[in-house]
Amino acid sequence: MSRIPQPSSRPTVKTTLVPPARSRAPSPSKPAASVSSPRVRTKSVPKSPSKAIRRPPPVENEPPVPKTPLSIKEAVALRRAEAKKAISTSSGLGNSAGFGEFENLEDVNPKKNEEETLDLGRWSVKETIERARSTGAINLSSRSLPCIPSALFDIHLGITPDPLKSAASEPPISSPTDTPCSSRRTGQREGPAWFEAQDLHVLKAWNNDIVEIQHEISLFGSLKTVDLHQNKLVLLPDTFADLTALTTLDLSHNCLTALPSNIFALPNLTVMKLSHNALSELSFGAPFLKPPSRKAQHDTFSSRGFFDPVITRASSPLPRLSVLDVSHNKLTASTIDHANLPLLITKADFAANPLALGDSNSTLAFIRALSHLEHLKELRCETADIGDDAFPSNLSTSESHCFPRLRILDMGETRATMEGLQSALSGLKQDITYDFTTEEPPEGTLRVSIGKKVVREPWEVEAERRVKSRVPKSVTSTESAGPSKTDVGQNNTNVVKEAWEIEAEQGLLTEGGRRRARAAAAMSAADIAPPPKPGPLIGHGQPPTPASLSQPSPTASLTNPQYYKATTQTLILPPLSAPTKSHARSFSLATSFSSPPSSRGKTDFALPTPTLPLVAISAQSFAQTLKTLVLSNRKFDVCASLPIIGEVLLPSLEELVLDGCGFGDQISVTRQAEAGTTASLRSNDKLLPLLTRVFPSLRTLDLSYNVLTSASLQQDALSSLILADNSNGRKGLRHLRLRGNRIDGLDAFQGIAELFKGNRSVPDWKLEELDLRDNEISKLPAELGLLPLDVFLVDGNLFRIPQRRVWEREGTRGLLSWLRGRME
């Protein structure tokens, strides 16, 4: 039987605005309930369980199922949809009756009024004030408020402030979107409970039209931050100075002409910003000239009862003030009470003020008073009326403490000149620079800005400084190598030459020229005559020169800027590969001492060949201040050259890089009386104890890609290397890199970790990074989790527990935590 409804009379649609019940009226498109002809039921085997289940026949007068009630607009939209559907179905039958009842109904999506729209998604002023009772902070910025809302005092304090003349009528503070009290659920509180409410400690109302502040503001005794910048404030009430808990005050970009005298007696104020106002004086000592007196008692409190707050003022002007910004005002040096300046000021900004107006001598006293501030780090007087008369030539020489910590002095676009400031600041302890950059100057440096600022990037300043520093170095290297053929010119300017230009002038671009230079260097070092030509001695295995001639004097080469960087105090020697085996059909069986190895470069003919040439390095002028020594991949002569007397040759060395040098557990040591002598003693010493004795100030040691084994990592040797020892002057190691060696056990580190059992602290432990990657470690002891390391790298070893994901997911902390868990 077809399910298409037969044409029948259609019910009329009701248009009441009452929300419909759960059991809705049948849709107009459905046929009405009528008596139909009986169907003949036949037996059939169901093909699926779904077809075997028969639906029960519809029951008349079925009770309605409860449903969530709809709103009025939803009900109207539903009725309208049903009406349209009924009209479209009965349009062929001409039945359009009943649609006229919907003509006066409201549209489904009516246009909202402007009052119903949310204001930038923010809460209304009233809701913001109510929520501040739970948070203790309120932000009423950019709301075009003529004053601080009276509801703030009413909701938080339960008082009604006195009306202001500048704001006779306040705008409404609530919006239609606020939740009314009647719509709240039964038992729901209107605000936070008394034990959840917090005192107001942050008040921000910037970018408004506030002209005046209620004197009841002093009743918010817990206020710590008040931000009222970009308003129209003309005067502050005297009770504003009663906010003794205030720490940050921002009243910039207003119209203030004076301040309450007691505001300079706030005991906790640290930041005061009063820029872009019309202030004409700063009387820091006014509250301390006479006992405090009030003109009217109602200006501070409404009553003088027992429960009134006690105001505790400071005994000195702003004892905790560190930042003072009074730029773009009308202040002169004579109207600033510089005799009572706050002593803890670190940043002071007096830019765009007529400081020298009226009495020009007052600027000198003003600058002298600022120079006595021991904590002052930044002084800005940009575009202010001040000149060289405020900076006498004896300013820094006559005063014992003149700007002791000053780091920034901004005198841009003033009448001050560079000559005047140079003579005035010549006696300071800081290094003075006149380069203006965006970065903070380093400690011990004073950056002075004069004239119009030309901001340069840090890399531009560094490039210019390096160009200036290269000029004397190039001249020194040229004089030590030989006379230069380059004409300096009539203007006597030094020409900076590249390394290849110096080599070309000395004839070192060819192999023959380099051989002659090596021979000359060897003869000058040994101070002997040239050896005879080896005529009949070829093939007898006799070297033409002594063994000491294979190491010419390196004095001229190590000071070359190509290897030594004076700015970073770093010496980097080029790599030297291991000597290659000679061909089977060589003309001589003797080792060639005069010819260089094939792997050596063009400019290292005079460099020492030992891997660790401490005799040659200690003879340089920079030996006592050298910080970093890089000796990577020097495998030509794996040994260390030391003097016979004294082992501490580089006392300031902090970083030593010996990666890829082929060092084992022991190292061959050659002890010489001095560089270039033939007398020497050779011995084999253990590597780690030797490095511990020679470099007491070492902080970073890189022994990656050598052939060290676990036998070299003895607990006593490792403890002496890592732990600090004041008796021997050792500072303690911070970075130890042992990557790519042949270490198979960590028993020494396990023994050191025992020192930290029981949460014990080891003050001599300074190690922060331990790199054990690419070794042969088969087991990771659980005691290593006790080591206080920041970086612990163990990739590329043989152990399988813990799994890689332990440190890949959680890093070093996760690995150490996992190891500590294995101990338990």
Side-chain angles (χ1 to χ4, degrees):
M1 182 177 179
S2 175
R3 293 182 179 272
I4 300 177
Q6 302 297 328
S8 61
S9 60
R10 303 198 177 267
T12 59
V13 181
K14 298 182 181 181
T15 60
T16 59
L17 298 181
V18 181
R22 186 65 180 174
S23 60
R24 302 174 184 172
S27 175
S29 61
K30 295 182 181 180
S34 60
V35 180
S36 59
S37 59
R39 298 173 58 185
V40 180
R41 297 183 180 180
T42 58
K43 272 190 176 182
S44 62
V45 179
K47 296 182 180 180
S48 63
S50 61
K51 293 183 178 180
I53 300 174
R54 304 184 61 86
R55 296 180 181 179
V59 182
E60 296 183 358
N61 301 327
E62 183 179 0
V65 181
K67 187 179 180 182
T68 305
L70 303 176
S71 62
I72 296 178
K73 292 184 179 180
E74 292 176 343
V76 170
L78 180 62
R79 294 299 185 183
R80 175 166 294 190
E82 292 177 354
K84 287 184 178 180
K85 189 174 182 180
I87 292 173
S88 60
T89 307
S90 62
S91 59
L93 301 177
N95 188 9
S96 61
F99 184 70
E101 299 179 5
F102 292 91
E103 294 181 356
N104 297 327
L105 293 180
E106 187 180 0
D107 195 2
V108 180
N109 296 320
K111 185 177 181 181
K112 295 183 179 181
N113 298 329
E114 296 182 358
E115 297 179 355
E116 296 180 1
T117 59
L118 292 176
D119 184 13
L120 301 177
R122 300 182 301 184
W123 299 316
S124 64
V125 176
K126 183 179 180 181
E127 189 169 358
T128 303
I129 295 174
E130 291 177 349
R131 289 176 180 267
R133 294 182 60 190
S134 301
T135 61
I138 187 171
N139 190 350
L140 299 174
S141 59
S142 303
R143 294 179 183 266
S144 302
L145 297 175
C147 64
I148 298 178
S150 302
L152 178 64
F153 301 86
D154 187 12
I155 295 175
H156 283 255
L157 301 176
I159 63 172
T160 302
D162 297 337
L164 300 174
K165 297 181 181 179
S166 59
S169 60
E170 299 183 15
I173 60 174
S174 60
S175 64
T177 58
D178 291 345
T179 304
C181 297
S182 58
S183 62
R184 291 191 178 97
R185 291 179 296 179
T186 305
Q188 184 178 3
R189 291 190 297 266
E190 184 176 352
W194 62 269
F195 54 85
E196 296 176 350
Q198 296 187 16
D199 293 337
L200 192 66
H201 59 271
V202 176
L203 173 59
K204 296 182 179 181
W206 50 270
N207 196 16
N208 284 290
D209 299 329
I210 300 176
V211 180
E212 194 177 357
I213 300 176
Q214 296 90 337
H215 64 85
E216 289 85 359
I217 191 69
S218 61
L219 299 180
F220 291 104
S222 300
L223 273 178
K224 295 183 178 180
T225 301
V226 175
D227 189 353
L228 297 174
H229 74 275
Q230 290 185 355
N231 278 282
K232 300 178 181 179
L233 289 174
V234 178
L235 188 64
L236 293 177
D238 294 337
T239 57
F240 192 86
D242 296 338
L243 300 173
T244 54
L246 203 61
T247 59
T248 303
L249 176 61
D250 191 352
L251 298 175
S252 57
H253 294 272
N254 279 282
C255 304
L256 295 174
T257 56
L259 297 173
S261 59
N262 288 332
I263 201 171
F264 299 109
L266 293 175
N268 299 308
L269 191 64
T270 58
V271 178
M272 175 183 279
K273 297 182 180 180
L274 302 172
S275 61
H276 295 84
N277 279 281
L279 298 176
S280 58
E281 65 174 351
L282 291 178
S283 303
F284 292 105
F288 312 100
L289 296 177
K290 55 184 178 179
S293 61
R294 306 188 184 278
K295 297 180 180 179
Q297 294 185 358
H298 66 274
D299 290 342
T300 304
F301 304 111
S302 57
S303 62
R304 303 296 294 176
F306 177 77
F307 296 100
D308 287 339
V310 178
I311 299 174
T312 304
R313 305 192 187 278
S315 59
S316 60
L318 299 175
R320 297 187 180 182
L321 186 67
S322 61
V323 178
L324 176 62
D325 186 1
V326 290
S327 59
H328 296 85
N329 279 279
K330 300 179 180 179
L331 298 173
T332 62
S334 58
T335 57
I336 299 176
D337 188 6
H338 48 76
N340 295 304
L341 288 174
L343 300 179
L344 298 182
I345 291 181
T346 59
K347 298 181 181 180
D349 193 348
F350 296 94
N353 278 292
L355 297 177
L357 186 63
D359 187 6
S360 59
N361 296 328
S362 59
T363 56
L364 175 59
F366 175 64
I367 295 298
R368 288 188 181 274
L370 291 175
S371 65
H372 295 160
L373 298 178
E374 297 182 356
H375 301 276
L376 185 63
K377 295 182 179 180
E378 295 184 14
L379 176 58
R380 301 184 182 274
C381 298
E382 185 181 5
T383 67
D385 185 12
I386 191 172
D388 290 339
D389 52 351
F391 296 90
S393 58
N394 60 347
L395 177 64
S396 58
T397 57
S398 61
E399 303 291 339
S400 58
H401 297 283
C402 180
F403 297 118
R405 296 187 180 181
L406 191 63
R407 300 175 62 183
I408 296 177
L409 177 59
D410 191 352
M411 303 296 294
E413 299 183 20
T414 60
R415 293 184 289 105
T417 60
M418 182 177 294
E419 293 77 9
L421 290 179
Q422 285 179 347
S423 61
L425 304 177
S426 59
L428 296 182
K429 299 180 181 179
Q430 301 94 319
D431 298 332
I432 302 177
T433 178
Y434 296 91
D435 297 326
F436 183 79
T437 61
T438 56
E439 292 185 348
E440 292 290 331
E443 191 69 26
T445 302
L446 172 59
R447 188 177 68 200
V448 181
S449 302
I450 302 174
K452 189 174 182 180
K453 293 181 181 179
V454 179
V455 181
R456 294 188 296 176
E457 295 294 332
W459 66 268
E460 295 177 321
V461 178
E462 180 67 18
E464 183 179 353
R465 187 185 59 79
R466 288 189 178 183
V467 169
K468 293 180 180 179
S469 62
R470 284 177 60 185
V471 173
K473 292 181 182 179
S474 62
V475 174
T476 304
S477 62
T478 305
E479 292 177 355
S480 62
S484 175
K485 298 181 181 180
T486 306
D487 188 8
V488 178
Q490 298 180 357
N491 55 355
N492 295 329
T493 58
N494 295 325
V495 179
V496 180
K497 300 178 182 180
E498 298 291 338
W500 67 270
E501 294 177 326
I502 299 175
E503 295 173 5
E505 294 173 358
Q506 298 175 0
L508 301 177
L509 293 182
T510 60
E511 188 65 26
R514 288 194 290 274
R515 283 198 298 267
R516 288 189 294 270
R518 280 192 295 271
M523 288 185 295
S524 62
D527 195 17
I528 61 175
K533 296 182 179 179
L537 297 178
I538 295 179
H540 289 266
Q542 297 293 333
T545 56
S548 63
L549 299 183
S550 63
Q551 297 182 9
S553 176
T555 305
S557 297
L558 294 182
T559 57
N560 193 327
Q562 181 180 357
Y563 307 122
Y564 177 66
K565 310 296 182 183
T567 56
T568 58
Q569 297 179 354
T570 302
L571 178 63
I572 303 176
L573 296 185
L576 294 177
S577 301
T580 57
K581 295 183 180 180
S582 302
H583 196 271
R585 296 182 179 180
S586 177
F587 290 98
S588 175
L589 298 178
T591 305
S592 177
F593 285 86
S594 59
S595 60
S598 58
S599 62
R600 297 174 69 178
K602 296 181 179 180
T603 59
D604 60 352
F605 59 89
L607 292 179
T609 56
T611 303
L612 195 58
L614 294 181
V615 174
I617 297 175
S618 61
Q620 308 301 318
S621 59
F622 54 78
Q624 299 299 319
T625 59
L626 187 65
K627 297 291 186 182
T628 305
L629 179 59
V630 180
L631 303 172
S632 301
N633 298 315
R634 295 178 58 85
K635 300 180 181 179
F636 182 74
D637 187 5
V638 184
C639 68
S641 61
L642 297 176
I644 296 178
I645 301 175
E647 289 188 348
V648 181
L649 307 177
L650 305 177
S652 301
L653 189 69
E654 296 182 354
E655 182 176 357
L656 177 62
V657 180
L658 296 173
D659 58 324
C661 294
F663 282 136
D665 297 341
Q666 293 185 349
I667 182 175
S668 177
V669 179
T670 302
R671 289 180 169 83
Q672 299 178 358
E674 58 183 10
T677 58
T678 58
S680 62
L681 299 175
R682 297 185 68 90
S683 62
N684 291 331
D685 293 354
K686 293 183 178 180
L687 179 61
L688 295 185
L690 176 64
L691 298 179
T692 304
R693 296 194 309 268
V694 175
F695 308 110
S697 302
L698 202 61
R699 312 305 295 271
T700 300
L701 178 59
D702 191 350
L703 293 173
S704 303
Y705 300 105
N706 287 281
V707 289
L708 297 175
T709 63
S710 300
S712 63
L713 301 180
Q714 300 297 328
Q715 184 175 352
D716 53 350
L718 200 59
S719 300
S720 301
L721 177 65
I722 295 177
L723 299 180
D725 189 358
N726 296 329
S727 60
N728 296 329
R730 290 198 300 270
K731 297 182 179 180
L733 208 61
R734 288 188 176 180
H735 308 276
L736 179 59
R737 303 184 179 101
L738 300 173
R739 181 179 184 179
N741 284 275
R742 299 178 183 177
I743 302 172
D744 56 1
L746 300 176
D747 297 336
F749 288 101
Q750 183 178 358
I752 295 177
E754 297 288 342
L755 301 175
F756 295 92
K757 274 192 173 181
N759 295 327
R760 288 179 294 180
S761 62
V762 181
D764 295 335
W765 176 270
K766 307 295 181 181
L767 195 64
E768 300 174 356
E769 176 187 356
L770 179 59
D771 190 353
L772 298 174
R773 291 176 292 179
D774 302 330
N775 279 278
E776 301 174 1
I777 302 173
S778 59
K779 181 182 178 181
L780 206 60
E783 286 79 7
L784 296 184
L786 300 175
L787 297 177
L789 296 173
D790 295 337
V791 179
F792 187 31
L793 305 177
V794 294
D795 288 343
N797 283 281
L798 302 180
F799 63 84
R800 302 182 63 181
I801 297 175
Q803 297 182 1
R804 180 183 295 270
R805 64 171 179 266
V806 173
W807 63 81
E808 284 185 348
R809 292 181 180 178
E810 302 180 10
T812 299
R813 293 185 178 180
L815 176 59
L816 297 178
S817 177
W818 187 91
L819 291 174
R820 289 193 297 269
R822 298 281 292 184
M823 295 179 57
E824 301 174 357

